[in-house]
Amino acid sequence: MSLRTAAAAGALLALVLSGSALAEVHRYVVIANGEKVGHLTADVQGRTTSVDYAVVNNGRGPKARERIEADANGLPVTWTIEGESLFGSPVAERFTWKAGQAEWVSQADKGQVAAPKPLLYIGNDVSPWMLGVYVKALLRAPDRTLPVLPGGRLKLTEVRKVTLGQGKAAVPVTVYELAGIDLNPDYVLVDGKGELFAAGGLIREGYEAEVPKLDVIRREIAQVRAEEAQKKLAHRFAGPVRIRNVRVFDPVSMTLSGELKTVGVFGDRITGVWANDAAGPAPVGETVIDGQGGTLLPGLHDMHSHTSLSSNLFNLAAGVTATRDQGNDNEELLAMLEGLRVGRLAGPRIVRNGFLEGRSPYSARNGFVADTLEDALRDVRWYAAHGYWQVKIYNSFNPDWVAPVAAEAKRLGMGVTGHVPAFSSPDRVIRDGYDDIAHINQLMLGWILDPKEDTRTPLRLTGMARGKDLDLKSERVQATVRLMKEKRIALDTTAMILERLMLSRSGQVQAGDAPYLDHVPIGYQRYRKRSFVTIRTPQDDADYQGGFRKVLEVLKMLDDNGVQLLPGTDDGTGFSNLREMEVYVAAGISPGRALYLSTLGAERYFKRDHELGTIERGKLADFILVDGDPVANISALRKTRMTMVGGVAYYPAEIYEHLAIKPFAPPPPVIPPRPEAP
């Protein structure tokens, strides 16, 4: 080898090891439910990278243009991001490190710290390219862990090695778990050169055919984690259980018992509710759980969930023992239900609804997307054959198909729920066969917007600002209310999601997030301080504030008129379910009434109230232990100490510790059974 060749090779090696690269363009696509919904292009020129990223799915999606300058070790020293967040709010984020000083400005916050050398910055509105940057940095770090800005630490763990692609195009990749950014870890695939290959729905262009294989890998990893969590967190009892020193909530009267009670459980059933017997030892062979004066109430319900293995744990930690899944990957959901049935997985009881969307440029890629009425009817029959409870219709569904689809669903024994399809109306879908409407905004937009306006777009959020001037006594509103009462139509409210979106302001912590936000990882803290709406003037702010106040008025008006409210979240953190209860109370609904709606009221809607919804002998042992009195203060629900599903106990403190979240309340004391005397 000549000296010149050796020098060039050495320079190239140094360049690679330094984290830089030769000029190269990396292209990726974003896939959702088998369809392309976005792209990412990264143009790497030495230490400078320019990223173009855009996603359009369900009528919305983030867009980012990034420019990254790295130091000799590959750490970003300048990072600028411009574009739009999920619902179109403008993004202008910047990070710089220079001369021992790190500074950043984002939607969530701004700050500066002394930093003798560059530190890894966790971007707030960055593209998935960031995951590759973080992995590269962590692979060079001792123990593969690093402190990061604005705070916290990242940790990288190798999970497995796989080969993707065929023949000469085959690429060996390593799957890493990246923890410390969000509530759940990210799984990032990098090739032998350390370059990003795939993450989430993103995959290197030309390897789209490998997405099904990646989905299988992702499910296997998630399944293993979930099964390990169940073994670690589930507490089963060999004999009877005696829960002492509790006040019991009665959803029928919406009150607490005046005196302390003892509740018995054996197997998966409640064996009795008795006068408190705290004095003296329990009978031989019985486990005692000391409620210490707390409240025992039936498990809460999330009537609008999109279930995942991780959301199951978050829901249990929040006292949610039953959910209604409003749309999912059908194969994944059915596999999850089997895991729950046989006890391999932890989670609430799940009532499954089948997602049914129509084809348009705004389609949500979930469940089934129908191109024709015949396709839609075939999909309904598939859902019926697989035991689904309802069909859920979505925004791009042809309004003329609703009536025949609803008729077929009901012929097969299913109900119908959903959004109000674009260019239809709440009154029409009710007459066409809906049993309930999903989301309070889907109901209210029928009173606010012109029928010709397109709700497949973010207008279904931004249009709610016009609601501030809505007259609830108008005939347009009252005609719908009368129709809902006549047809016994329920409303799946998800009011807290409207609050979260309409009242989001850059850098501000909302009231619903303040109680828990400092317990969770830094990336999620910052995510909750971003804005999802565009506020250009004080009037914009006032319009959204006034629009949400009208949401509260509608909640109260519907409840006063006897329309059944189904508390739901459209979220998977569990924290949101607790906020939904607080929003009901803020609307003027009493805490006792809100608790009824989330317990017995939900089970009456499911027609399972003979088995669930109250704490009484013979019913399934689904209930929660709360530190405090949620009838006096609904926020006491945020201190749930135990969640029991079918007689299996979970302690939220243990769940949160497992999820790297600081707990909110300790487990109750548990006294193991006394053995029989010899």
Side-chain angles (χ1 to χ4, degrees):
M1 179 183 293
S2 69
L3 291 177
R4 178 177 297 177
T5 303
L12 176 61
L13 178 63
L15 188 63
V16 171
L17 292 176
S18 73
S20 300
L22 299 175
E24 191 173 5
V25 177
H26 303 263
R27 302 184 189 278
Y28 304 85
V29 294
V30 182
I31 304 293
N33 202 21
E35 299 185 21
K36 180 179 176 180
V37 296
H39 72 272
L40 186 152
T41 302
D43 184 355
V44 180
Q45 301 289 332
R47 295 181 183 176
T48 301
T49 303
S50 300
V51 177
D52 178 71
Y53 172 63
V55 173
V56 178
N57 188 16
N58 194 9
R60 62 197 184 207
K63 299 170 182 60
R65 295 176 301 280
E66 302 174 64
R67 184 176 175 85
I68 307 164
E69 299 280 349
D71 70 356
N73 293 314
L75 288 177
V77 291
T78 67
W79 197 333
T80 60
I81 308 106
E82 296 181 348
E84 299 176 0
S85 65
L86 180 66
F87 286 97
S89 179
V91 169
E93 185 171 355
R94 183 182 73 255
F95 167 79
T96 59
W97 177 89
K98 186 177 181 180
Q101 188 82 8
E103 299 183 6
W104 66 92
V105 176
S106 75
Q107 272 207 36
D109 52 14
K110 61 181 179 180
Q112 59 182 33
V113 295
K117 58 183 181 180
L119 290 173
L120 202 57
Y121 171 71
I122 302 300
N124 196 48
D125 282 287
V126 291
S127 72
W129 180 257
M130 70 168 185
L131 298 173
V133 173
Y134 300 157
V135 168
K136 282 184 178 180
L138 287 160
L139 286 173
R140 293 190 296 271
D143 301 321
R144 294 184 176 176
T145 182
L146 281 174
V148 293
L149 293 174
R153 297 186 71 85
L154 293 187
K155 181 180 180 181
L156 191 71
T157 305
E158 182 175 324
V159 178
R160 66 169 70 175
K161 294 182 183 296
V162 296
T163 298
L164 299 173
Q166 304 296 322
K168 295 182 179 180
V171 179
V173 299
T174 304
V175 183
Y176 290 102
E177 178 184 284
L178 178 60
I181 299 176
D182 208 337
L183 295 179
N184 297 302
D186 292 288
Y187 290 94
V188 187
L189 285 72
V190 301
D191 63 18
K193 298 178 181 178
E195 298 295 342
L196 177 66
F197 186 88
L202 184 85
I203 189 167
R204 186 173 292 173
E205 187 177 69
Y207 289 85
E208 293 88 338
E210 299 299 302
V211 168
K213 185 175 180 179
L214 280 182
D215 287 342
V216 171
I217 293 170
R218 175 177 55 81
R219 290 174 193 168
E220 290 174 350
I221 294 171
Q223 185 77 15
V224 169
R225 282 176 52 88
E227 290 182 7
E228 290 174 350
Q230 170 73 333
K231 293 174 184 177
K232 174 182 176 182
L233 301 170
H235 297 268
R236 293 181 169 87
F237 306 98
V241 178
R242 190 171 289 251
I243 305 169
R244 290 173 160 173
N245 297 318
V246 292
R247 298 178 71 192
V248 177
F249 175 71
D250 174 19
V252 177
S253 65
M254 298 182 248
T255 61
L256 288 186
S257 59
E259 303 293 332
L260 292 175
K261 300 286 186 181
T262 292
V263 175
V265 173
F266 181 70
D268 64 351
R269 298 278 171 173
I270 299 167
T271 56
V273 180
W274 313 297
N276 201 35
D277 62 352
V284 170
E286 292 194 14
T287 298
V288 172
I289 298 175
D290 187 354
Q292 298 183 312
T295 299
L296 204 69
L297 65 154
L300 304 177
H301 291 59
D302 186 342
M303 299 296 280
H304 193 125
S305 77
H306 296 280
T307 313
S308 67
L309 292 170
S310 62
S311 74
N312 284 340
L313 292 179
F314 281 105
N315 277 322
L316 289 176
V320 176
T321 61
T323 67
R324 181 174 67 155
D325 189 284
Q326 286 280 61
N328 219 308
D329 179 292
N330 295 325
E331 183 180 340
E332 287 192 29
L333 181 60
L334 292 175
M336 188 188 309
L337 288 166
E338 177 62 15
L340 290 169
R341 186 187 69 81
V342 300
R344 289 198 308 268
L345 301 176
R349 301 179 192 274
I350 300 173
V351 173
R352 58 189 181 274
N353 286 356
F355 192 94
L356 191 53
E357 171 69 303
R359 178 74 61 189
S360 85
Y362 305 98
S363 298
R365 274 71 173 188
N366 208 346
F368 291 126
V369 181
D371 292 291
T372 66
L373 175 58
E374 289 71 25
D375 289 344
L377 293 171
R378 181 198 61 218
D379 297 337
V380 169
R381 294 172 193 129
W382 188 95
Y383 283 130
H386 288 79
Y388 282 68
W389 191 64
Q390 289 179 313
V391 170
K392 180 193 176 186
I393 291 171
Y394 210 65
N395 292 318
S396 292
F397 203 74
N398 188 326
D400 294 334
W401 298 353
V402 172
V405 161
E408 182 67 0
K410 294 189 174 183
R411 183 185 73 81
L412 296 169
M414 292 191 295
V416 181
T417 181
H419 289 207
V420 176
F423 315 114
S424 186
S425 71
D427 294 30
R428 179 177 177 183
V429 298
I430 290 170
R431 292 192 175 97
D432 282 346
Y434 272 35
D435 297 293
D436 68 79
I437 291 174
H439 305 296
I440 193 168
N441 59 311
Q442 290 288 318
L443 174 67
M444 293 178 63
L445 289 171
W447 305 330
I448 295 170
L449 301 183
D450 185 286
K452 296 179 181 179
E453 292 185 278
D454 193 348
T455 54
R456 297 173 299 178
T457 69
L459 180 65
R460 62 182 183 266
L461 163 66
T462 59
M464 290 296 292
R466 303 185 209 171
K468 70 184 190 306
D469 299 321
L470 181 63
D471 179 3
L472 299 189
K473 295 181 181 179
S474 67
E475 178 57 21
R476 187 177 188 181
V477 172
Q478 290 303 312
T480 304
V481 175
R482 289 194 300 270
L483 187 61
M484 294 179 79
K485 293 168 66 176
E486 174 193 339
K487 302 283 189 180
R488 296 188 176 182
I489 305 301
L491 176 66
D492 157 12
T493 52
T494 65
M496 60 72 47
I497 282 291
L498 269 294
E499 177 191 47
R500 173 165 284 171
L501 296 174
M502 295 174 72
L503 303 190
S504 61
R505 301 293 183 269
S506 296
Q508 298 182 19
V509 178
Q510 293 193 40
D513 298 318
Y516 72 85
L517 206 58
D518 62 351
H519 289 238
V520 301
I522 186 65
Y524 191 76
Q525 290 185 36
R526 301 181 75 218
Y527 177 76
R528 287 274 65 96
K529 291 189 282 188
R530 73 203 308 187
S531 178
F532 293 97
V533 294
T534 303
I535 304 296
R536 295 187 177 89
T537 68
Q539 188 60 51
D540 291 337
D541 176 64
D543 288 349
Y544 278 112
Q545 297 279 355
F548 185 69
R549 286 194 295 271
K550 194 63 66 172
V551 169
L552 299 180
E553 292 177 28
V554 171
L555 279 175
K556 179 66 168 136
M557 181 265 291
L558 292 174
D559 189 57
D560 287 346
N561 275 274
V563 173
Q564 180 163 8
L565 303 182
L566 306 173
T569 67
D570 203 10
D571 185 69
T573 66
F575 302 124
S576 298
N577 195 272
L578 306 178
R579 183 56 182 172
E580 183 81 347
M581 292 288 91
E582 293 172 340
V583 169
Y584 274 39
V585 174
I589 298 171
S590 72
R593 174 75 178 163
L595 292 171
Y596 161 79
L597 292 169
S598 188
T599 56
L600 180 58
E603 285 300 336
R604 284 177 170 171
Y605 191 68
F606 287 148
K607 297 180 173 58
R608 301 189 309 193
D609 50 302
H610 62 289
E611 289 271 62
L612 293 157
T614 58
I615 298 174
E616 55 185 302
R617 178 178 171 81
K619 288 198 170 183
L620 289 164
D622 288 20
F623 48 70
I624 64 176
L625 174 64
V626 171
D627 184 11
D629 178 1
V631 177
N633 178 8
I634 196 68
S635 296
L637 291 173
R638 293 186 178 274
K639 292 188 176 181
T640 297
R641 303 182 68 184
M642 179 181 72
T643 299
M644 186 171 281
V645 182
V648 179
Y650 299 88
Y651 304 126
E654 293 181 354
I655 295 175
Y656 285 130
E657 287 174 350
H658 174 76
L659 296 170
I661 294 171
K662 186 168 67 176
F664 302 87
V670 179
I671 303 170
R674 292 185 299 123
E676 291 189 26

